[in-house]
């Protein structure tokens, strides 16, 4: 019997028109909604729009396959950051303008995946170098220099390589890495998908020690996976 999460992964991985999936992560809109805490409707609207692209915010890395849609890890981080900015008081029009402007200023498609991004919860800032090579922070839209007092904790869970999001430590002990298991959540300690350990736990009388022995992991790893999957399902 195929686990629903495996069906999701396989559906994305088998999209025949999508090149170079490996190492980029594959997620459905439902996956993105669960992982970011946003509604599935909101995620879909941000990628597909409503009507004639109304409401669309991002262009996904993968083209649709009929009515099926899949997004990459960088798409997922864009959605996550946009959702957090909205939750912390940044208006949607500002999010939209900042995303477009940062893409132009930084010369990078996934503007919200860049390490330069900062916020104080109301405005969005960019960390960079001025003409003399000195560090500076400026407001993304006005380019006025600023000194935000707060870097929101959600940005601190993202690990960067070459200034671009590479991994997302979504919670303690669980990481999303596009180079591992198509970017699905894995227990960091064991690099095993959380849904596999959680499913084994529930299928075997909630015996964490038996599951830990089968997969050669600690009981803590099993507990982390079970807790994470339970929170996703809540």
């Amino acid at each position: 019997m195929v686990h629903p999460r495996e069906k999701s992964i396989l559906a994305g991985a088998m999209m025949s028109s999508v090149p170079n999936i490996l190492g980029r992560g594959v997620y459905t809109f439902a996956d993105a909604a669960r992982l970011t805490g946003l509604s599935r409707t909101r995620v879909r609207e941000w990628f597909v729009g409503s009507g004639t692209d109304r409401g669309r915010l991002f262009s996904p890395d993968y083209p649709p396959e009929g009515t099926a849609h899949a997004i990459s890890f960088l798409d997922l981080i864009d959605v996550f950051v946009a959702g957090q900015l909205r939750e912390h008081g940044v208006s949607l029009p500002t999010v939209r303008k900042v995303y477009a402007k940062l893409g132009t200023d930084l010369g990078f498609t996934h503007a919200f995946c860049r390490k330069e991004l900062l916020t104080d919860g109301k405005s969005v800032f960019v960390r960079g170098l001025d003409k003399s090579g000195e560090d500076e922070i400026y407001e993304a839209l006005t380019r006025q220099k600023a000194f935000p007092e707060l870097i929101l904790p959600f940005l601190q869970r993202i690990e960067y390589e070459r200034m671009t999001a590479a991994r997302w430590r979504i919670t303690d002990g669980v990481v999303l890495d596009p180079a591992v298991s198509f970017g699905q959540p894995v227990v960091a300690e064991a690099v095993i998908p959380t849904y596999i350990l959680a499913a084994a736990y529930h299928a075997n009388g909630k015996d964490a020690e038996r599951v830990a022995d089968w997969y050669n992991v600690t009981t803590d790893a099993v507990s982390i996976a079970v807790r994470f999957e339970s929170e996703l399902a809540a």
Side-chain angles (χ1 to χ4, degrees):
M1 184 173 182
V2 180
H3 188 279
R5 188 76 58 77
E6 290 177 318
K7 289 182 180 179
S8 170
I9 297 170
L10 292 172
M14 292 189 298
M15 293 176 69
S16 59
S17 62
V18 181
N20 302 321
I21 285 178
L22 293 179
R24 300 174 71 190
V26 180
Y27 310 88
T28 64
F29 290 160
D31 291 333
R34 282 194 300 267
L35 294 168
T36 63
L38 297 169
S39 71
R40 185 173 179 178
T41 299
R42 175 61 56 84
V43 172
R44 181 180 180 82
E45 183 176 283
W46 281 357
F47 281 103
V48 178
S50 175
T52 57
D53 277 353
R54 184 167 57 86
R56 181 170 176 172
L57 180 59
F58 306 114
S59 295
D61 282 337
Y62 304 141
E65 185 84 1
T67 60
H69 295 266
I71 63 174
S72 71
F73 174 75
L74 293 183
D75 289 326
L76 178 68
I77 295 298
D78 276 339
V79 170
F80 170 60
V81 173
Q84 289 293 311
L85 291 174
R86 291 288 292 116
E87 183 176 327
H88 287 83
V90 181
S91 71
L92 184 58
T94 296
V95 170
R96 190 184 304 279
K97 290 176 183 176
V98 166
Y99 188 77
K101 192 167 193 310
L102 286 180
T104 299
D105 290 352
L106 299 175
F108 191 75
T109 304
H110 295 281
F112 288 164
C113 293
R114 296 294 291 181
K115 191 175 183 180
E116 297 96 328
L117 183 68
L118 303 173
T119 180
D120 65 354
K122 295 297 181 182
S123 300
V124 181
F125 303 87
V126 178
R127 175 178 47 205
L129 301 177
D130 61 19
K131 293 181 180 179
S132 63
E134 297 294 325
D135 287 334
E136 69 169 354
I137 296 175
Y138 60 88
E139 205 277 326
L141 292 179
T142 65
R143 295 192 65 88
Q144 292 180 342
K145 288 190 177 182
F147 301 93
E149 297 178 357
L150 174 67
I151 301 175
L152 294 182
F154 69 85
L155 289 175
Q156 297 174 355
R157 286 194 173 276
I158 299 174
E159 294 185 3
Y160 299 85
E161 291 181 0
R162 297 187 180 91
M163 300 297 285
T164 302
R167 281 168 294 279
W168 177 15
R169 297 195 173 277
I170 190 169
T171 190
D172 292 342
V174 179
V175 64
L176 276 67
D177 184 332
V180 177
S181 190
F182 293 105
Q184 293 298 307
V186 300
V187 177
E189 168 195 324
V191 198
I192 296 176
T194 54
Y195 74 86
I196 288 179
L197 293 178
Y201 172 83
H202 289 295
N204 290 276
K206 298 183 178 180
D207 190 335
E209 291 187 359
R210 176 182 294 181
V211 175
D213 184 57
W214 282 349
Y215 287 95
N216 194 28
V217 299
T218 65
T219 55
D220 282 346
V222 177
S223 296
I224 287 170
V226 171
R227 183 169 58 250
F228 176 76
E229 289 294 323
S230 296
E231 290 172 353
L232 276 189

